Amino acid sequence: MSPQTADAIKRFLHAAGIVVVLVMILFPLYWMVAGSLKTQPELFAIPPHWTWAPTLDAYREAIADSGVLRALGNSLIVTLSAVALGLVVGVPAAYGIARYSFRGRREIWFWYVTNWMLVPVVVLIPFYLTAARLHMINNPLTLIAVYQIFIIPLVVWLMVDQFRSVPVALEEAAQLDGLNRFQIFLRISLPLVTPGLAVSAVLSGIFAWNDLLYAFILTPGDEVRTAPTIALSYLGGYTIPWPKVMATSTLVTAPVIIGGIAIHKYVARGLTMGAVK
Amino acid sequence: MSDPDKLPLLPPARRSFLEKAAPWLFIAPSLLLLLAIGLYPMIYTVYNSLQNFVMGMGPPVFNGGTNYITAITSQNFQNSVLRTLVLLVITLPVELVLGMMIALALDSQHSPFLRRLLQICLVIPIAITPAVIGLLTQLMFNEQLGVINYLLGRIGISPVDWLGSPTSAFATVVCVQIWEWTPFVALVLSAALSTVPPEVDEAALLETERWWPRFSAIRLPFMLPGITAALVFQTAFTMKAFDMIYAIQKGGPGSATEVAIIHIERLAFRGFDIGVASAQSILMLVLSIVLARTYIRLFYREVDG
Amino acid sequence: MAEIRIDQISKAYGAHTVLHDITFDVEDGEFIVFVGPSGCGKTTLLRTIAGLEKSNLGRIVIGGKDVTHWPPARRGVAMVFQSYALYPHMTVAQNITYGLKVNKVDPAEIEARLKAAATMLQITQLLDRKPKELSGGQRQRVAIGRSIVRQPGVFLFDEPLSNLDAELRVQMRAELVALHRRLGSTMVYVTHDQIEAMTMANRIVVLRDGRIEQIGAPLDLYHNPQNRFVAGFIGSPKMNFLSVTIQAVSDAGVMVELPGGPKITVPVAGPDLVPGGKVELGIRPEHLLLGPGAGAADAQISVTATLVERLGGETLLHGTTRHGEALVVRKSGELAAHHDETVPVGVVAGLCYLFDADGRSLDPLRPREFPQ
């Protein structure tokens, strides 16, 4: 076999391997979107219909069901608020850790990171008990608070990384110009790390949006339930309206998939707290 | 994990009170918040785990370590922890091997467009709502009407009752877990692979044309921190896994897919036994810490250390 | 021991061509240096010889074997990288012997070769250390040791001295020359530093934009550059270039007018030149005359000094001609001239070069006589 042939075979196997992985990843997604554009009989046709007249009926049904829109709205409010809170408290913390040496810095750092890996039930049970005592069950504020357990570690990690990349000389120059630490943080460093802010906001937003366990226990009420919970809510009935479930699922997952793709370069680094580049 | 002591620091400036207090002023809000929602609940859980505490059955009463004994001797809890560990032991090696293959495919020079596309698409299973993955699993793995059995039928495999029997239901969870998290492992390993300096790789290429020695002796040592990270975080994600498995069939059929978190959730919020559930969640916490520390001791090596 | 034949090598990344039809031979045992500005293709050419890059067209023949499609490890070449590329997790000894072990060389033989290389490079006491415990110069020696033990037919060096400080660079330069003399192997060396090229090479290949500008022995390039680029690249400080007008073309050479009016007949052939046309006159700083000797030259021009650099053993006078063109004069010993002073500078016709509109050097009518 000539070297060119061997090379061609290698190229082909490489491309074929990638295509297989791509199909594995994308087929369920296709099946979800396709299902949302089908009618119930069509969805369960055997053999499956690979071409059909798409219909938006399932979406009309899902939107007409006030629960779906309300749940999407609830998720949006909770996610945006939780991310905003996480950024407001997490970004200054990241700056403090990135730029100062003080006793306990290392310990605080590791403790922040371990919260990201915490088994959720450890927090969930006492949170539920406390919220119940304070009449905060079914209150979105409870979710916004509990999501900080993973948002703050994510934000702090990613932003420490960002602040490190701002040259210290720049801040020293600002210091010589007479700015104090807080002015330097707000006017010099913060504007330089806006791309990092966007990445940490999207990444933590994805996890807040996707959460089922906390929302399931802490905000089970019809008025306040979030998007992942509503997607599961159809399962109780005798016949499950699958096109409507798939339409709802598509609506629920669209924002996180778009957000994930937008920041795909940073996902590995973000989720492992910078253990990899 | 990045060592905070290696970060560049501002030189000590005017040591006014404000300057000295500055780091704490920056950190205080997040610290207070995390103390309130992270540390306080954990302490509260430890406290609850020492109480005889069943909701609606009167006030909690201190009962020593009895809950821990109940937890450890509980057949259901043992089974759910065992299920979690089996899930871990099956999925982790598969995810590592598949993830490594994907990472190596991404590292190649061929088909730049496909590689770019794959890099983007790998994020989809990570970002997609796990509850929706569970729903899709129900639909696609349906015995009679699911597309998986249809496709298997096309290659001559008779229909499998994926969700019905305990064994196959667990296998389904394993498959879906691998689908959901292999891309994460692949991305982490891909990042780890990129820490191999190209010239070092080429130096090895000049010494041997065999792939395996180059991979095992030259590349792998550079990848150990990344592999450790993949193990630590993937283990944490598997131990935390609730949403997807719950959405498939709430831990069923029977308790075939009832992993530890589902068991504890059920005990606390359906069985109302807060005391024992708290003890069990503390045990799970300890278990996950022990696993993480073990990985770090076994695999973590700085390549030039 | 091996000779290398580079036969019509071309390489492109997409639409961007980095090597254009390169052909030349390297003799067995020769020390050849590729030199050129960054981006000229010299490193790509070296990596193509190593097999780390594939050419789109052409052949590489090493030791009589066509290795164009061979993997790097089979070509019998060893390479020293700019960053040294040591394996950070292995000790010095492991670094040096890895290639032998993986190729199943007899352990006694490995030990003997390791000992010989370590002794030769004076790194015997470092064998148990890890690369990060070594200085730059020590790492360099280990990288060289790693290539020596493999006893390759060809050594390839990719700017190996560029990460060292100036003093160490001079020392390593001498050591590499001594190493070449001792081993007698074919060595191919890439650098952007023309001084390294001049001091080390048997022959130099000057590259620009993926093309060979000239191949020759160091002094040959210095004395007889074939074009304006090579003339400007070889020699330090670089050659001065003045734009001049042709006055007459005769059997005695080409007469041109220097800035300020003096005329000079440069003894080169200019069959295609016509009076009134423009050419470039090149003259090296060390060939311009200053002080008492200036009067004896074929012509004199006035130069206003803008900067006088006194280096002790020599003096560099930077100035401008009456036309405002920059000029550098190099004089051995010291010089009394100061800033803003206008001094006469002597030009010797026989040491001038003329370059036509395409930058080609016009052929001299007789060999140039360089001062001893």
Side-chain angles (χ1 to χ4, degrees):
Chain A
M1 189 164 51
S2 78
Q4 285 93 339
T5 324
D7 203 47
I9 292 176
K10 247 186 244 171
R11 273 166 198 277
F12 173 77
L13 288 178
H14 177 259
I18 289 184
V19 168
V20 168
V21 176
L22 280 172
V23 169
M24 299 277 275
I25 290 175
L26 293 176
F27 183 73
L29 216 60
Y30 161 78
W31 201 247
M32 173 177 79
V33 177
S36 73
L37 298 172
K38 286 176 177 175
T39 60
Q40 184 95 349
E42 211 150 34
L43 183 53
F44 286 112
I46 293 286
H49 294 177
W50 302 103
T51 55
W52 71 98
T55 164
L56 289 173
D57 285 354
Y59 286 92
R60 283 192 202 99
E61 247 183 273
I63 288 170
D65 180 342
S66 64
V68 173
L69 278 185
R70 199 194 298 134
L72 287 169
N74 288 341
S75 272
L76 193 66
I77 291 166
V78 168
T79 301
L80 290 180
S81 317
V83 169
L85 178 61
L87 289 179
V88 165
V89 301
V91 172
Y95 182 79
I97 291 174
R99 281 293 190 249
Y100 290 94
S101 172
F102 52 90
R103 268 178 52 172
R105 185 169 78 133
R106 202 190 171 86
E107 288 71 22
I108 286 179
W109 169 267
F110 281 115
W111 180 59
Y112 275 33
V113 172
T114 52
N115 274 306
W116 166 239
M117 313 194 9
L118 209 60
V119 184
V121 277
V122 175
V123 175
L124 181 59
I125 297 171
F127 232 83
Y128 176 82
L129 295 173
T130 310
R133 198 178 309 135
L134 299 173
H135 304 289
M136 294 279 281
I137 298 292
N138 283 330
N139 187 329
L141 286 175
T142 312
L143 276 188
I144 294 168
V146 79
Y147 287 166
Q148 300 311 315
I149 203 108
F150 54 81
I151 292 180
I152 290 176
L154 269 180
V155 169
V156 169
W157 157 252
L158 282 163
M159 295 316 293
V160 164
D161 209 29
Q162 290 288 309
F163 284 123
R164 278 172 73 178
S165 67
V166 177
V168 175
L170 208 60
E171 302 197 3
E172 286 170 342
Q175 219 168 36
L176 292 176
D177 288 339
L179 272 68
N180 68 36
R181 297 288 203 205
F182 303 95
Q183 290 167 321
I184 293 174
F185 166 65
L186 282 175
R187 292 195 209 150
I188 309 292
S189 306
L190 204 53
L192 291 172
V193 297
T194 35
L197 283 178
V199 170
S200 41
V202 172
L203 196 55
S204 44
I206 288 173
F207 282 87
W209 178 278
N210 280 347
D211 165 70
L212 176 70
L213 178 55
Y214 290 115
F216 193 58
I217 301 298
L218 297 174
T219 55
D222 282 346
E223 299 291 318
V224 287
R225 59 167 56 153
T226 58
T229 331
I230 199 90
L232 287 190
S233 67
Y234 306 111
L235 295 185
Y238 182 65
T239 47
I240 300 169
W242 278 107
K244 186 180 168 190
V245 175
M246 289 299 105
T248 308
S249 295
T250 306
L251 293 173
V252 171
T253 53
V256 283
I257 289 175
I258 293 167
I261 287 173
I263 59 158
H264 72 273
K265 278 186 197 147
Y266 310 94
V267 166
R269 188 163 174 68
L271 295 191
T272 56
M273 301 284 137
V276 295
K277 291 279 167 324
Chain B
M1 247 154 281
S2 175
D3 183 350
D5 288 345
K6 287 183 189 153
L7 308 184
L9 295 170
L10 284 176
R14 294 158 294 145
R15 303 298 292 179
S16 66
F17 168 75
L18 201 63
E19 287 293 325
K20 271 183 232 162
W24 292 104
L25 291 175
F26 279 121
I27 289 170
S30 64
L31 197 59
L32 292 174
L33 196 55
L34 272 185
L35 287 173
I37 62 164
L39 192 62
Y40 162 74
M42 207 186 302
I43 293 169
Y44 193 10
T45 298
V46 174
Y47 172 80
N48 283 335
S49 75
L50 299 171
Q51 312 280 320
N52 184 353
F53 183 4
V54 179
M55 267 191 286
M57 302 280 277
V61 182
F62 180 79
N63 66 354
T66 319
N67 289 337
Y68 286 89
I69 293 166
T70 314
I72 290 171
T73 52
S74 151
Q75 196 67 44
N76 288 339
F77 180 61
Q78 281 175 12
N79 288 341
S80 74
V81 173
L82 200 62
R83 249 173 242 122
T84 311
L85 292 178
V86 170
L87 181 65
L88 198 61
V89 168
I90 299 175
T91 56
L92 215 47
V94 177
E95 287 164 352
L96 275 176
V97 171
L98 291 178
M100 187 68 88
M101 287 167 70
I102 295 174
L104 287 168
L106 288 175
D107 186 56
S108 134
Q109 300 293 313
H110 304 317
S111 336
F113 173 76
L114 282 177
R115 279 190 289 126
R116 185 90 193 89
L117 188 64
L118 180 59
Q119 232 156 16
I120 295 170
C121 288
L122 281 175
V123 86
I124 291 173
I126 302 170
I128 194 170
T129 314
V132 169
I133 300 177
L135 289 173
L136 265 170
T137 307
Q138 275 200 38
L139 180 63
M140 296 175 70
F141 282 83
N142 187 293
E143 187 190 3
Q144 268 112 45
L145 306 169
V147 67
I148 301 279
N149 270 348
Y150 167 74
L151 292 174
L152 288 177
R154 291 292 297 263
I155 55 169
I157 298 174
S158 50
V160 179
D161 184 7
W162 290 105
L163 302 170
S165 94
T167 318
S168 55
F170 190 77
T172 306
V173 168
V174 167
C175 291
V176 179
Q177 177 79 7
I178 289 170
W179 180 88
E180 188 183 348
W181 288 109
T182 298
F184 166 74
V185 176
L187 285 176
V188 173
L189 295 183
S190 172
L193 197 54
S194 70
T195 63
V196 183
E199 291 199 330
V200 169
D201 212 21
E202 289 172 352
L205 201 60
L206 282 163
E207 301 202 295
T208 176
E209 57 187 285
R210 283 181 296 143
W211 182 83
W212 178 251
R214 267 192 292 129
F215 179 75
S216 60
I218 308 297
R219 287 175 162 192
L220 216 50
F222 282 96
M223 296 180 72
L224 281 180
I227 292 172
T228 313
L231 280 172
V232 168
F233 285 93
Q234 190 46 42
T235 300
F237 293 149
T238 310
M239 307 267 285
K240 278 162 69 164
F242 172 88
D243 299 5
M244 177 271 284
I245 303 171
Y246 188 84
I248 296 179
Q249 37 189 347
K250 303 190 162 115
S255 55
T257 58
E258 189 180 282
V259 290
I261 303 297
I262 295 185
H263 173 82
I264 297 171
E265 185 268 345
R266 182 165 290 173
L267 185 64
F269 299 104
R270 304 289 179 271
F272 306 113
D273 193 340
I274 299 296
V276 175
S278 296
Q280 292 178 347
S281 48
I282 293 295
L283 290 172
M284 282 301 286
L285 186 66
V286 171
L287 183 60
S288 58
I289 292 169
V290 167
L291 281 177
R293 292 193 72 98
T294 312
Y295 293 138
I296 289 169
R297 194 160 36 214
L298 287 181
F299 300 109
Y300 191 79
R301 300 261 188 292
E302 285 285 356
V303 71
D304 52 358
Chain C
M1 304 305 110
E3 74 290 341
I4 307 169
R5 159 162 295 175
I6 313 237
D7 189 12
Q8 296 181 305
I9 287 292
S10 291
K11 179 163 178 68
Y13 296 111
H16 177 60
T17 307
V18 289
L19 293 176
H20 297 266
D21 196 18
I22 305 274
T23 299
F24 65 93
D25 291 348
V26 183
E27 285 166 32
D28 184 19
E30 196 175 16
F31 196 123
I32 199 157
V33 174
F34 298 168
V35 70
S38 64
C40 71
K42 56 190 190 294
T43 294
T44 309
L45 185 55
L46 187 81
R47 291 166 56 82
T48 309
I49 298 174
L52 296 172
E53 309 250 0
K54 284 204 161 57
S55 61
N56 302 96
L57 286 173
R59 296 187 313 149
I60 305 270
V61 180
I62 299 177
K65 298 193 181 76
D66 184 342
V67 300
T68 315
H69 298 291
W70 287 18
R74 232 191 292 169
R75 299 186 174 204
V77 301
M79 184 154 163
V80 176
F81 291 85
Q82 182 172 3
S83 65
Y84 319 134
L86 299 179
Y87 309 127
H89 54 289
M90 297 184 188
T91 64
V92 168
Q94 288 168 334
N95 260 287
I96 293 176
T97 57
Y98 174 73
L100 301 178
K101 281 189 186 136
V102 77
N103 287 308
K104 310 242 163 25
V105 175
D106 172 55
E109 172 72 14
I110 293 179
E111 194 55 36
R113 288 197 205 173
L114 171 65
K115 207 171 249 171
T119 312
M120 189 192 301
L121 296 164
Q122 298 164 348
I123 50 172
T124 317
Q125 73 288 0
L126 304 177
L127 289 179
D128 293 327
R129 298 211 194 150
K130 292 270 183 78
K132 75 163 182 183
E133 300 166 86
L134 304 179
S135 69
Q138 290 170 331
R139 283 179 208 185
Q140 180 65 262
R141 285 164 199 271
V142 176
I144 295 170
R146 185 168 67 182
S147 40
I148 289 177
V149 293
R150 295 184 46 216
Q151 305 178 340
V154 176
F155 285 88
L156 306 175
F157 296 92
D158 184 11
E159 307 220 15
L161 305 185
S162 55
N163 288 345
L164 301 178
D165 64 44
E167 198 183 335
L168 201 52
R169 205 149 57 208
V170 174
Q171 189 195 335
M172 286 305 294
R173 215 155 70 193
E175 286 189 25
L176 281 174
V177 171
L179 185 75
H180 175 243
R181 226 172 267 142
R182 185 164 176 174
L183 298 174
S185 315
T186 312
M187 293 191 173
V188 184
Y189 188 104
V190 162
T191 181
H192 63 270
D193 179 354
Q194 58 97 18
I195 295 179
E196 269 178 32
M198 294 294 281
T199 52
M200 300 172 82
N202 296 132
R203 278 196 304 156
I204 295 175
V205 179
V206 183
L207 289 155
R208 180 170 66 145
D209 295 339
R211 289 189 170 86
I212 295 178
E213 293 283 319
Q214 192 170 352
I215 303 181
L219 281 183
D220 187 34
L221 297 188
Y222 176 83
H223 289 149
N224 301 306
Q226 282 168 5
N227 54 51
R228 190 188 183 284
F229 175 77
V230 175
F233 195 79
I234 301 289
S236 175
K238 57 183 279 194
M239 184 182 276
N240 297 299
F241 294 100
L242 302 172
S243 177
V244 293
T245 312
I246 300 166
Q247 301 296 312
V249 182
S250 68
D251 288 349
V254 178
M255 188 202 279
V256 297
E257 185 188 307
L258 295 174
K263 297 180 176 55
I264 190 170
T265 303
V266 182
V268 294
D272 302 329
L273 300 184
V274 288
K278 287 275 184 190
V279 287
E280 262 192 304
L281 179 138
I283 176 97
R284 293 197 184 277
E286 52 272 38
H287 294 156
L288 287 166
L289 302 174
L290 266 178
D298 298 313
Q300 289 178 6
I301 52 175
S302 300
V303 174
T304 305
T306 51
L307 173 70
V308 182
E309 292 180 315
R310 298 173 210 282
L311 304 174
E314 61 179 36
T315 305
L316 296 179
L317 182 141
H318 299 256
T320 50
T321 66
R322 293 235 173 117
H323 290 177
E325 288 171 304
L327 198 74
V328 180
V329 187
R330 176 173 171 182
K331 182 185 184 305
S332 64
E334 292 169 30
L335 183 73
H338 56 79
H339 173 64
D340 278 347
E341 188 179 338
T342 300
V343 293
V345 170
V347 181
V348 179
L351 295 175
C352 289
Y353 300 79
L354 286 187
F355 301 97
D356 66 16
D358 296 329
R360 274 191 299 269
S361 183
L362 299 177
D363 294 332
L365 293 169
R366 53 182 183 274
R368 292 191 174 89
E369 288 167 25
F370 293 91
Q372 292 301 305

